[in-house]
Amino acid sequence: MSFTRNLGRFEDDMRTLREKRTEPGWSFCDYFMVQVCDWLRELSIRAVGCSSAVHLCVDQEELAFVFEMLQQFEDALVQYDELDALFTQYVLNFGAGDGANWLGSFCQPVRSWNGLLLRRPIDMEKRDLIQRGEASLLDLRSYLFSRQCTLLIFLQRPWEVTARALELLHNCVQELQLLEVSVESGALDCWVFLSSLEVLHRIEGCCDRSQLEANCSHTVGLWTYATEKLRSLGDLCGLVSENGPDSEDLNKTVDLLAGLGAERPETINSPQSPYKKLKEALSSVEAFEKHYLELSHAAMEMYRVIGRLRSARLVGKSLAEFYMWLLCFACFLSCACGFFDRVCRYLQTSALLASDTNLSDEERRHFCQEILTFARQTAEGKGQQKDARVALSMSSFTRLQELRFRPSSALVHVSAALQLELRLCSLMPVPVTLEQISASIHFTQEQPGSTAQKRAAQNPDGTVTFPAASPASASASALELCEILEHSPSDNALSSAGVACRNMHLLMRRHDSTASLDTPNTAPAVAMEDAAQMLRASDVTLLPGNNSIVFTAPSQKPGSYTLRQLCATLGCVQFILPHIYPVVQYEVYSQEPQLSIQPLTGHNTDSMPVLHSSTCSARILSSSAELLAESALSIQSSEKVTSISLPVTPPYHTLEFLLEVLCHIPSCPARMESERLTNGQISRRSRTRFNSGMTLIDQKVSVDCPWSIYSTLVSLTFHVPFTIKHSLLSAGRRKFIQVCLRNVSDTNFRLTNQTLTENQHTPSLELCSLNTRTHSLVFRQQCVFSVWELRWSGVSPVSVHCEFSAAFAPADAPDAALKLYRYDFTLERVSTLYSVRAEIRPAVGEQQCCTGSLCRLEVSLTRLSEASDSDEEYSETDGLRSSRLLYEVIDNSSNWAVCGKSSGVVSMPVAAMATHKVHMEVMPLFAGHLLVPSIRVFKYQPRLASPVIQPDTDSCLENDSLSLEDQAETASLRSRGSVQSLGSGESAQPRGPMPKRQAFGPGQVFSGTQGQQVLVLPAADHHLMEVNVT
C-alpha cells in the first residue's frame, strides 16, 4: 500500500507540473530535471520497495549509476521520447507564433559545433548546461540523443539509432531556422558532418563487419548526408574552385576549425576520428579531394549493393560534377569526349604527315608547326585547356635506336651512379624542344644477379639495340594473315580457299575503361608523372636525325628495375611508347659490410720479423678504386683483445688500412697442443724451413665485426730470424758455456746487451763473461759466438738452468726498435769425471815413428772426483768399489791402423785420481804430422747372467751395444796391465742379452790429447834418384 500511495502521489505531482506549462514561470529545463530525477526515484522504489523514497536524494553521477543498475531501459527510453516530443511541439508552436518565454535561452547564437558525443553513457557537461539554463539548442538535442542512443544500444537496436540520427540531423536544421538562431556560415555543416561520422563509428563499434554489410541500407543515408555537407564545406572554403582558396577562404576555414574546439579525450588516440577527418579535409585541396572521393564512392557502392540504383546515379551525378570542376569529367561523361577525340586524331595525323619523307619539306614543317602551335596555345590558355593532355603515338615522332648502360654490367650497388644513354632518331623536320622525356620503371624486389649475367652474355658491352619497328606497336595495327586451302579427299582438287588471322586474340581483345597508354584518347601522362620510379630528362632539344639523351637511373632500393614506357612531353601533347622492346633492365644489389684480411709480404719481407708500428692510417677508396681520403685509426689494445675504431666511410666504399703485427718470439719454440680458438686467443705452432733453417710460427687470430655474428679466422706466419745453440766446453776442471746465434734471414741485424743468467740464482755458481764487445753486427747467414766461464765453489752442481738474452733490431733501425730475444737451456752434470790422455811412442830401438812400423799407444784413464753421478753403476770386489768403463780407439782420418783389439772394458776404482793405463800397438800409414787417434769412453753395463733368456737384438741395436765378437777382446785386457779383466771363458757360455754402453754427458770426459799431433817419418828416403848417363 505504501508503494502504491507514493507512486500515485508522484503521478499527481508530475501531472500538476505538466499542466502548469502554460504559466509564465514554467521552464522546460526545470521540468526536464524533475522528471528525470523523479523517474529515477520511481525506478528505485520499484527496485527496493521503500516507503521513504520521497526523501531519496540522487545527485548527477548517481543518476547514471541508477540507469545501469535497474536495467529498465525500455521505460527510460519512453520518458526520453516524451521529453523529445514535448520540446519539438514547443519549437513548432514557436514557429507558428505561439512562443514560450523559456525558449529564449535556446535562441542564443551557436558558439560551438563539435558534434554529437556518443562514447559516454552520460554527457555530464551538457547536462550541467541544461541544469543551469545555459544550453543551446544543439546542446539539448545532443544530450537527448546521446541518452537515447545509449538506451537503444543497451536494447540491442543499433539500426534504430541510425534512423533516429538521420531524423535528428534534419530536424535540428529546421528547428534552428524556426527559432531564428544565429549560426555562423558552415558551422551547421560541420556539426552535421561530425555527428554523422560519430554515429557511424558508434555503430561500427558494436557490430561486426558482416552485420554492417548486411544492414548498409540503414547507414547509407548518413554516408550520403555527410558527403553532401563535406561538399558544401568545400565550396564554402574555396577548396573546389579554379584558383584554390584565397585569404578570405582561409580565414573562414580558421573560424570553422576554432568552433570545433579541442578534440575530446575519447577520440584523441583514434587516427580515424571525425574530428581529425574534418580538420584534415579542410587543410588542403588534395586532402579534401581524397576524403570527398572516399565518402562519395562508399555511398555510391552502398546504394548499388542494396539496389537503389537511382540514388547511386544521383551520387554519381554529384561526383561527375565534381570531376567536371576538376577538369577530369571524361572519366564519367564519355559523351563530352567527342571534341577531344577529334583533336587527338587531327594531331596524330599531323604527326604522321610531318614524319613522312615523301612530302616536301614545306608541307612537313607545316604539319609539325600545327602540333607545336596547339601545344603552345594550350600551355598558355586558361580554363579546361590548360591541364588537358593529348597522348599520341611515339612511332610517328621519333624512333629508338639503341640504349647503352654505364657501367656496361648494368649491376650496381645501392645508391651507386648508373647512367643510361638513349640514342634515338627524330622524325620531325625541325628542332623540337621537349619539356621532358621520361620513362616509367617497374620495380620488383628480386634477387639480383641472375638476369644481369644473362643480359651480360647477350650484350657484353652493355648495349641494347632496338629493332626498326617495335613489335608491340606494329601488332596493334598490322594483321598477321595466312591462307587456308582445302582439297577434296577423293581427287585432291581444290575445294575452298580462305584467309585466317593469326593474331586475332590480340586484335579482338576487350579494352577496359582504365587509363592505358595504348589508347590515344586517355590521359596517361598523369599516371606516369605520379609513378614512384621514373627516368627524366628536362629541356631536351631533339634535332632532326640522330640524338643522344643521358638519364641517371634511380638506385635507392635493391631489386630489379625494368623500363616499361617512354613518354616525350611537349606542352599538353605527349608522345608515348607503350612498350619498350626488347626488355631493358638493370639491377641494384645490397650487401652487408665485408671484411677481407690478407697478410702482406713485400720485398725481402719473407724472412723479416713483423715489427710494431705506433701509427696507422686508413685509406678510403671509391667503388672504382679511386683514393678519396685518408684518416687515422684509433687502436686500443688489452691483454687479448685489440679494438680498432674505423672512420666514417660512405656506402659501398672500401676502407683499406695496414696493421703491423708484433709477434713475441718464444724463448724456446716448441710444438704446442691444439687448443680451441676463442676470440682474442691465438694458437701457435712452430716448424722449420728446411731450405733456410728458419723457424716458422703460425698464429691464428679471430676477428669479430659488429655487423656480423661470425668470426673471421686469420692465419699469420711469422719467421724467426735466428737459430741458436749452446755447448759446454771443458779445459780440465774448468767449464765454459758457448752460445752460437746464427742469422738465417736475409736482413742484417745488430745485437746488443748479450747476457747469460742462471735462473735459480744459486749463490755458489758464477757466470763470468769472456766477451769483449757489447754490440755486434750480424750479417745475413753468419754466426756470432759468445762465451761465459762457469765457476762454482764446493760441490759441483747437478744441473744449471740458464737464459740467454739479447736485444736485436735491423741494422739501420733506431734504438727504439730494439726487441728482446731470449733462449732458455739447461745443462746437466757439468763436472768432469774422467780425464783421458793418449801417448804414441816409437818401437823399442827406434828414435822416431816411421810409416809401416809398429808404435806403442798408451791410453791413461784418470778419475778426477769421487762418485757423485747417480747414473753410474758400481761393483765391489775384495772391498774395492769400481765402475766399468768401455773405451774405444777410433781414427776417423784413417792415418793409423790399430793392431789387435781397439776396444775393451776396464774396471775403474771409485777414487779420486785413480788411473788406469791401457797399452796397444798402432801402425802409422802415412808420413807427416798425424793426429793422435780419438779415445772414446762409455759407461759399460754388462749383460744379465740368465741362460734361459733369449738374446734381445732390439736392445743391441737401440742402445749401441757391443758386438759378440768384441767380447773375446776382453780376454787380453788383464795381460795388458789392467787391474781386473774379464775372463776369456765367458765367451763359451750360452748367449744371453747383449751388454750395453751409455755415453757420458757433455763435459764429463775431458780429452787432454785432442788435437795433438805426432811426427811420422817415411820408411825410406825417396828424395834420392839414381840417374845413369851414357
Side-chain angles (χ1 to χ4, degrees):
M1 295 299 291
S2 175
F3 173 77
T4 305
R5 183 170 54 252
N6 290 331
L7 182 59
R9 186 172 55 184
F10 163 74
E11 293 176 352
D12 295 338
D13 294 340
M14 291 301 301
R15 189 180 303 110
T16 302
L17 186 59
R18 189 182 301 113
E19 291 175 355
K20 292 181 181 180
R21 66 182 179 273
T22 58
E23 297 180 359
W26 190 86
S27 174
F28 177 80
C29 294
D30 296 337
Y31 173 74
F32 173 79
M33 298 304 298
V34 170
Q35 182 174 1
V36 173
C37 294
D38 290 344
W39 170 242
L40 290 174
R41 289 194 184 103
E42 181 186 356
L43 294 179
S44 301
I45 292 171
R46 295 180 186 178
V48 301
C50 180
S51 60
S52 60
V54 181
H55 304 286
L56 179 62
C57 180
V58 182
D59 60 6
Q60 296 175 1
E61 292 187 14
E62 291 175 349
L63 295 178
F65 298 153
V66 171
F67 269 109
E68 292 187 19
M69 179 183 65
L70 300 180
Q71 297 184 359
Q72 300 297 325
F73 305 127
E74 190 69 38
D75 295 337
L77 184 60
V78 171
Q79 296 299 319
Y80 280 109
D81 290 344
E82 290 180 358
L83 289 172
D84 191 0
L86 180 60
F87 184 78
T88 302
Q89 186 62 41
Y90 271 104
V91 174
L92 294 177
N93 294 339
F94 183 86
D98 185 11
N101 295 331
W102 55 268
L103 279 175
S105 62
F106 295 100
C107 296
Q108 57 184 347
V110 177
R111 303 300 181 186
S112 175
W113 43 87
N114 52 5
L116 297 175
L117 179 58
L118 306 179
R119 303 172 191 261
R120 299 177 186 172
I122 301 177
D123 191 352
M124 303 304 296
E125 297 178 1
K126 288 185 173 55
R127 190 175 185 279
D128 292 340
L129 293 176
I130 296 173
Q131 188 175 8
R132 296 195 304 266
E134 300 175 358
S136 64
L137 177 65
L138 295 182
D139 294 334
L140 177 62
R141 285 298 187 184
S142 299
Y143 181 78
L144 283 175
F145 183 78
S146 65
R147 296 305 303 142
Q148 291 171 340
C149 176
T150 301
L151 295 173
L152 289 173
I153 295 298
F154 287 155
L155 293 172
Q156 297 182 358
R157 289 150 58 182
W159 311 119
E160 187 176 345
V161 175
T162 59
R164 291 192 178 205
L166 189 59
E167 181 181 357
L168 169 70
L169 298 179
H170 287 285
N171 290 339
C172 285
V173 176
Q174 299 298 326
E175 291 175 353
L176 289 173
Q177 295 177 358
L178 290 176
L179 296 178
E180 298 178 357
V181 178
S182 176
V183 182
E184 187 174 349
S185 177
L188 194 56
D189 296 333
C190 292
W191 184 80
V192 172
F193 179 81
L194 293 174
S195 300
S196 300
L197 294 186
E198 178 69 15
V199 173
L200 292 173
H201 285 188
R202 186 67 179 92
I203 298 302
E204 291 177 358
C206 60
C207 300
D208 55 16
R209 187 174 184 83
S210 60
Q211 292 177 341
L212 292 174
E213 294 177 354
N215 296 275
C216 60
S217 59
H218 299 283
T219 59
V220 66
L222 292 175
W223 285 104
T224 306
Y225 204 15
T227 304
E228 295 175 358
K229 293 306 177 181
L230 183 61
R231 174 62 185 275
S232 177
L233 288 172
D235 296 335
L236 181 64
C237 298
L239 298 174
V240 186
S241 61
E242 180 181 351
N243 299 321
D246 53 12
S247 59
E248 183 179 355
D249 297 331
L250 294 177
N251 292 333
K252 187 66 177 178
T253 303
V254 172
D255 294 339
L256 291 177
L257 294 178
L260 299 179
E263 188 173 5
R264 291 158 177 167
E266 290 80 6
T267 62
I268 195 171
N269 295 326
S270 176
Q272 297 294 330
S273 65
Y275 181 89
K276 291 186 177 67
K277 282 190 175 182
L278 180 58
K279 192 172 182 180
E280 181 182 358
L282 299 180
S283 62
S284 63
V285 177
E286 293 77 8
F288 174 79
E289 294 177 4
K290 171 188 172 184
H291 288 283
Y292 179 72
L293 293 178
E294 287 180 357
L295 293 175
S296 300
H297 284 288
M300 191 165 53
E301 180 65 21
M302 290 181 184
Y303 278 129
R304 188 187 64 81
V305 170
I306 63 179
R308 297 175 58 179
L309 300 182
R310 294 186 61 186
S311 299
R313 292 189 183 98
L314 288 176
V315 178
K317 178 178 178 295
S318 301
L319 194 59
E321 293 175 355
F322 179 74
Y323 276 110
M324 289 176 63
W325 191 262
L326 296 177
L327 301 179
C328 297
F329 57 90
C331 299
F332 291 89
L333 302 177
S334 59
C335 61
C337 295
F339 174 76
F340 185 76
D341 291 340
R342 288 192 297 271
V343 172
C344 291
R345 286 195 295 268
Y346 176 75
L347 294 177
Q348 185 68 59
T349 305
S350 299
L352 290 173
L353 294 175
S355 62
D356 191 355
T357 57
N358 296 319
L359 300 180
S360 62
D361 294 341
E362 183 178 357
E363 292 175 331
R364 294 179 61 193
R365 285 194 294 269
H366 167 71
F367 290 109
C368 182
Q369 192 64 34
E370 288 289 318
I371 301 174
L372 298 178
T373 302
F374 178 81
R376 183 173 59 255
Q377 290 178 352
T378 53
E380 297 175 356
K382 299 180 180 180
Q384 297 179 358
Q385 293 182 352
K386 183 178 180 180
D387 294 332
R389 296 291 182 180
V390 178
L392 305 178
S393 176
M394 187 176 285
S395 59
S396 59
F397 177 71
T398 184
R399 183 175 63 250
L400 301 185
Q401 294 178 339
E402 67 176 14
L403 186 142
R404 184 185 299 272
F405 286 99
R406 302 176 184 172
S408 60
S409 62
L411 178 65
V412 295
H413 57 76
V414 173
S415 301
L418 176 66
Q419 291 184 341
L420 287 78
E421 181 182 1
L422 177 63
R423 297 181 181 179
L424 48 84
C425 177
S426 176
L427 303 179
M428 294 292 102
V430 295
V432 179
T433 301
L434 302 175
E435 292 182 4
Q436 73 171 7
I437 180 169
S438 58
S440 63
I441 298 177
H442 177 70
F443 172 73
T444 55
Q445 292 183 347
E446 297 178 353
Q447 185 68 24
S450 58
T451 57
Q453 295 176 0
K454 181 179 179 181
R455 182 177 57 255
Q458 297 176 357
N459 305 302
D461 57 347
T463 302
V464 179
T465 304
F466 298 98
S470 176
S473 61
S475 63
S477 58
L479 299 177
E480 297 183 7
L481 302 178
C482 63
E483 61 179 7
I484 299 177
L485 304 177
E486 294 183 1
H487 298 272
S488 175
S490 59
D491 54 356
N492 200 23
L494 182 63
S495 59
S496 64
V499 178
C501 181
R502 294 180 177 177
N503 59 343
M504 183 184 300
H505 63 287
L506 298 178
L507 299 175
M508 301 299 292
R509 64 182 179 179
R510 175 182 177 272
H511 296 276
D512 53 15
S513 61
T514 57
S516 174
L517 294 181
D518 296 332
T519 57
N521 53 354
T522 57
V526 176
M528 292 190 64
E529 291 176 355
D530 295 339
Q533 302 289 342
M534 298 285 292
L535 295 179
R536 288 189 177 90
S538 302
D539 298 331
V540 179
T541 300
L542 295 184
L543 302 177
N546 296 330
N547 295 268
S548 178
I549 303 174
V550 178
F551 297 95
T552 300
S555 58
Q556 286 77 19
K557 296 180 180 180
S560 177
Y561 295 78
T562 305
L563 273 64
R564 292 292 181 87
Q565 300 170 339
L566 189 65
C567 176
T569 304
L570 179 62
C572 65
V573 180
Q574 291 184 332
F575 295 92
I576 297 171
L577 179 64
H579 302 288
I580 298 179
Y581 181 84
V583 177
V584 178
Q585 190 178 52
Y586 68 93
E587 294 185 348
V588 178
Y589 67 91
S590 175
Q591 64 182 13
E592 295 294 331
Q594 295 182 351
L595 177 66
S596 177
I597 302 178
Q598 181 180 2
L600 300 179
T601 53
H603 178 68
N604 286 337
T605 59
D606 186 51
S607 59
M608 291 179 60
V610 181
L611 301 179
H612 178 69
S613 177
S614 58
T615 60
C616 183
S617 61
R619 303 194 311 161
I620 301 178
L621 307 177
S622 64
S623 57
S624 59
E626 180 182 358
L627 179 62
L628 299 181
E630 291 189 6
S631 178
L633 289 179
S634 176
I635 303 178
Q636 298 179 354
S637 300
S638 61
E639 183 179 358
K640 292 186 177 180
V641 178
T642 298
S643 300
I644 302 176
S645 299
L646 303 180
V648 178
T649 306
Y652 295 96
H653 282 58
T654 301
L655 183 66
E656 185 179 274
F657 56 92
L658 180 65
L659 294 178
E660 295 187 4
V661 184
L662 174 63
C663 175
H664 295 283
I665 302 177
S667 59
C668 184
R671 181 174 302 175
M672 300 178 64
E673 297 181 359
S674 60
E675 298 178 355
R676 183 177 180 181
L677 182 62
T678 57
N679 183 23
Q681 294 182 354
I682 58 175
S683 175
R684 302 188 182 93
R685 61 185 182 90
S686 61
R687 62 181 187 271
T688 303
R689 294 180 59 181
F690 295 100
N691 55 350
S692 63
M694 193 181 310
T695 301
L696 306 182
I697 300 177
D698 291 341
Q699 295 184 347
K700 290 184 178 180
V701 181
S702 167
V703 181
D704 293 336
C705 304
W707 57 80
S708 176
I709 61 175
Y710 303 101
S711 298
T712 302
L713 298 182
V714 185
S715 180
L716 302 178
T717 301
F718 296 90
H719 307 277
V720 181
F722 305 120
T723 60
I724 193 168
K725 61 181 180 179
H726 68 280
S727 58
L728 181 64
L729 306 179
S730 302
R733 296 179 180 272
R734 299 177 63 184
K735 297 295 179 178
F736 302 90
I737 300 176
Q738 177 182 273
V739 177
C740 175
L741 186 144
R742 181 186 178 190
N743 181 10
V744 294
S745 67
D746 295 334
T747 303
N748 299 332
F749 288 94
R750 59 187 180 95
L751 297 180
T752 61
N753 300 329
Q754 304 178 41
T755 60
L756 184 66
T757 58
E758 197 268 327
N759 294 334
Q760 296 180 349
H761 304 287
T762 305
S764 59
L765 289 180
E766 182 183 1
L767 291 173
C768 299
S769 176
L770 304 181
N771 307 307
T772 58
R773 299 176 58 184
T774 58
H775 293 73
S776 302
L777 185 62
V778 187
F779 295 96
R780 57 183 181 179
Q781 305 300 329
Q782 290 189 357
C783 301
V784 171
F785 293 90
S786 303
V787 180
W788 287 264
E789 182 178 0
L790 177 62
R791 300 176 182 176
W792 67 87
S793 59
V795 182
S796 62
V798 178
S799 62
V800 179
H801 302 278
C802 300
E803 180 185 75
F804 170 80
S805 61
F808 73 98
D812 55 351
D815 294 340
L818 289 171
K819 302 300 175 184
L820 188 63
Y821 179 77
R822 293 190 300 269
Y823 174 70
D824 296 336
F825 60 92
T826 302
L827 299 176
E828 302 288 345
R829 295 181 295 274
V830 297
S831 60
T832 304
L833 295 180
Y834 295 96
S835 175
V836 180
R837 299 186 62 85
E839 183 180 0
I840 298 179
R841 298 175 182 178
V844 179
E846 298 290 340
Q847 297 295 329
Q848 296 289 339
C849 294
C850 299
T851 58
S853 61
L854 295 177
C855 300
R856 293 179 299 171
L857 173 62
E858 183 182 47
V859 178
S860 299
L861 301 176
T862 304
R863 187 179 184 93
L864 301 180
S865 62
E866 297 287 344
S868 61
D869 193 352
S870 59
D871 292 340
E872 288 188 287
E873 294 185 1
Y874 305 103
S875 61
E876 292 188 6
T877 304
D878 299 334
L880 179 63
R881 293 182 62 192
S882 63
S883 61
R884 293 189 175 186
L885 302 179
L886 172 65
Y887 68 90
E888 288 183 353
V889 180
I890 298 176
D891 183 18
N892 295 325
S893 58
S894 302
N895 293 328
W896 302 90
V898 180
C899 300
K901 304 300 179 180
S902 61
S903 62
V905 178
V906 298
S907 294
M908 194 70 181
V910 181
M913 303 307 298
T915 304
H916 188 94
K917 295 183 178 180
V918 178
H919 298 274
M920 60 185 65
E921 294 178 345
V922 295
M923 178 185 293
L925 302 179
F926 303 98
H929 293 277
L930 304 182
L931 293 175
V932 177
S934 300
I935 310 299
R936 296 182 180 179
V937 180
F938 302 92
K939 301 175 185 178
Y940 180 75
Q941 297 178 358
R943 64 184 180 181
L944 298 176
S946 179
V948 298
I949 299 177
Q950 299 296 327
D952 188 0
T953 56
D954 294 339
S955 178
C956 299
L957 297 176
E958 181 178 0
N959 297 285
D960 193 18
S961 60
L962 288 172
S963 62
L964 297 178
E965 290 80 2
D966 291 339
Q967 295 181 18
E969 299 175 4
T970 59
S972 60
L973 293 178
R974 186 180 301 272
S975 60
R976 295 191 180 186
S978 62
V979 178
Q980 290 184 355
S981 302
L982 293 176
S984 60
E986 292 179 358
S987 60
Q989 295 181 358
R991 296 179 181 179
M994 296 299 175
K996 303 176 183 179
R997 66 178 182 180
Q998 182 179 0
F1000 284 96
Q1004 286 188 313
V1005 178
F1006 172 70
S1007 177
T1009 57
Q1010 184 175 3
Q1012 183 178 353
Q1013 295 179 342
V1014 177
L1015 177 61
V1016 178
L1017 302 178
D1021 191 357
H1022 297 289
H1023 293 83
L1024 298 177
M1025 181 182 304
E1026 183 178 354
V1027 180
N1028 296 324
V1029 179
T1030 56

